[in-house]
Amino acid sequence: MVVLANPPVVDQIPLLRSPGPRDSFAAVPVVDLSSPGAARTIVDACERFGFFKVVNHGVAADTMDRAESEAVRFFAQAQADKDRAGPAYPFGYGSKRIGLNGDMGWLEYLLLAVDSASLSDACTVPAAAAFRAALNEYIAAVRKVAVRVLEAMAEGLGIAAADALSAMVTEQGSDQVFRVNHYPPCPALQGLGCSATGFGEHTDPQLISVLRSNGTSGLQIALRDGAQWVSVPSDRDAFFVNVGDSLQVLTNGRFRSVKHRVVTNSLKSRVSFIYFGGPPLAQRIAPLPELLGEGEESLYREFTWGEYKKAAYKTRLGDNRLAQFEKK
Ligand code: GA4
């Protein structure tokens, strides 16, 4: 067998087969957040895919556009200036390295802490006032969408307290993270049938993630537990919601956290914003009692969000992080 080395520019970045038109996921569930049927559609999508698209969300196009153009301006700076906003951990600018255990992707990013409805004061990056203001406006808006989605989930699941899920991401001390990703094009791979991995396959550890990207596609989700990868057509006017591991546990496996990844485009850059809604570190993550049928037991050992997060940072991106908490 002949093993070909990656072209030097993408050394250390895993390559993926370039997606073609037949990989497109035409059946992405679409939730009209202004419709009375939203709660049912959301529950159905979370059970089937752990993933859906949200339209009629009420967030002004201006809010999204401003945040996007400020992000583009940030990433267009000289490398040395961006590096001054690093390192990425605990918060700041990062390039290519993801997490602490050797994962690499063809991207650069900002990993930021959110406190209540805006960037945490402790997070001094980004420094530019215009970028911070644009991000704060966006974060306040996307967080409202996350709350409405979590309330609709509770309603659809028949939980009496409307805020049973949303309170976990809004209460004092909730662990919210915001990420701005820039996937530059990778022209060196053009026409080779393969693409650089932008962000390798993984599930998100939190309750939900709410993503918005520019018009460049690249996001893929796994169907049938990873047997098939499908490309999600980009829609810059919509949000895409992922079920995370914690929500899988809170629903005792009824909702599945979705495996997803990003494949880079050889010619166009992709810019995405992701809000990750996580609970306070001390929050116990266990199935909500109202969701357990008679005699039904939790599929998971009990843990707090803090314990799960600590364990997650010891794993590689593609690891099954929930496996170590499953009851045998
Ligand atoms: C995936 C979801 C979020 O982007 C993130 C990621 C985090 C990181 O980039 O630092 C992790 C990854 C994410 C899961 C496992 C660990 C932690 C990289 C990694 C290998 C910010 C998060 O909360 O978990």
Side-chain angles (χ1 to χ4, degrees), residues 55 75 87 147 170 207 221 224 238 286 326:
V55 298
F75 290 117
V147 166
T170 55
L207 268 74
I221 65 163
R224 297 181 286 124
E326 276 162 12

Side-chain angles (χ1 to χ4, degrees), residues 92-107:
Y93 171 81
S95 172
K96 296 203 175 92
R97 290 173 201 288
I98 301 168
L100 310 170
N101 303 309
D103 288 293
M104 303 282 278
W106 187 256
L107 88 163

Side-chain angles (χ1 to χ4, degrees), residues 89 98-99 103 111 177 179 199 202-206 276 312-313 315-317 321:
Y89 296 97
I98 301 168
D103 288 293
L111 197 54
V177 176
R179 176 165 209 139
F199 211 110
H202 66 285
T203 60
D204 293 341
Q206 295 81 358
F276 299 97
Y313 270 93
T315 61
R316 295 287 301 256
L317 207 48
R321 278 172 279 285

Side-chain angles (χ1 to χ4, degrees), residues 157-234:
L157 286 166
I159 300 170
D163 68 349
L165 295 170
S166 61
M168 291 191 196
V169 307
T170 55
E171 67 200 327
Q172 181 112 40
S174 62
D175 189 18
Q176 306 166 88
V177 176
F178 191 70
R179 176 165 209 139
V180 184
N181 287 333
H182 173 222
Y183 302 93
C186 189
L189 296 176
Q190 202 200 342
L192 297 181
C194 59
S195 303
T197 301
F199 211 110
E201 66 174 81
H202 66 285
T203 60
D204 293 341
Q206 295 81 358
L207 268 74
I208 60 166
S209 318
V210 185
L211 173 143
R212 188 264 173 186
S213 77
N214 67 350
T216 303
S217 59
L219 177 65
Q220 298 192 320
I221 65 163
L223 301 184
R224 297 181 286 124
D225 236 15
Q228 189 191 356
W229 284 94
V230 288
S231 300
V232 178
S234 67

Side-chain angles (χ1 to χ4, degrees), residues 16-275:
L16 295 166
R17 184 176 62 77
S18 298
R22 285 172 23 162
D23 301 309
S24 176
F25 185 35
V28 180
V30 180
V31 173
D32 175 346
L33 210 50
S34 68
S35 111
R40 269 193 49 193
T41 319
I42 290 178
V43 168
D44 183 59
C46 290
E47 289 176 344
R48 293 179 62 205
F49 305 109
F51 182 81
F52 55 92
K53 167 170 161 170
V54 175
V55 298
N56 288 330
H57 42 66
V59 178
D62 245 22
T63 304
M64 312 217 228
D65 291 347
R66 235 189 321 267
E68 184 183 321
S69 51
E70 287 295 334
V72 168
R73 193 208 301 258
F74 174 87
F75 290 117
Q77 293 177 102
Q79 191 61 49
D81 293 328
K82 290 186 280 188
D83 287 340
R84 267 194 285 281
Y89 296 97
F91 294 106
Y93 171 81
S95 172
K96 296 203 175 92
R97 290 173 201 288
I98 301 168
L100 310 170
N101 303 309
D103 288 293
M104 303 282 278
W106 187 256
L107 88 163
E108 54 180 346
Y109 59 89
L110 284 166
L111 197 54
L112 307 170
V114 171
D115 188 7
S116 185
S118 57
L119 289 172
S120 148
D121 289 340
C123 187
T124 52
V125 166
F131 191 12
R132 273 189 99 80
L135 287 181
N136 280 336
E137 185 181 320
Y138 179 88
I139 289 167
V142 74
R143 185 173 176 268
K144 280 191 192 144
V145 173
V147 166
R148 284 171 68 196
V149 164
L150 288 165
E151 285 172 356
M153 279 177 185
E155 180 195 332
L157 286 166
I159 300 170
D163 68 349
L165 295 170
S166 61
M168 291 191 196
V169 307
T170 55
E171 67 200 327
Q172 181 112 40
S174 62
D175 189 18
Q176 306 166 88
V177 176
F178 191 70
R179 176 165 209 139
V180 184
N181 287 333
H182 173 222
Y183 302 93
C186 189
L189 296 176
Q190 202 200 342
L192 297 181
C194 59
S195 303
T197 301
F199 211 110
E201 66 174 81
H202 66 285
T203 60
D204 293 341
Q206 295 81 358
L207 268 74
I208 60 166
S209 318
V210 185
L211 173 143
R212 188 264 173 186
S213 77
N214 67 350
T216 303
S217 59
L219 177 65
Q220 298 192 320
I221 65 163
L223 301 184
R224 297 181 286 124
D225 236 15
Q228 189 191 356
W229 284 94
V230 288
S231 300
V232 178
S234 67
D235 183 344
R236 58 196 315 283
D237 301 321
F239 291 104
F240 291 91
V241 175
N242 283 353
V243 169
D245 297 339
S246 299
L247 188 55
Q248 175 170 328
V249 175
L250 290 165
T251 59
N252 209 25
R254 184 162 159 193
F255 290 1
R256 298 301 301 260
S257 62
V258 62
K259 241 192 236 170
H260 56 289
R261 67 185 184 189
V262 174
V263 186
T264 51
N265 190 289
S266 62
L267 297 173
K268 293 194 287 178
S269 31
R270 173 177 165 93
V271 176
S272 61
F273 293 106
I274 309 113
Y275 164 87

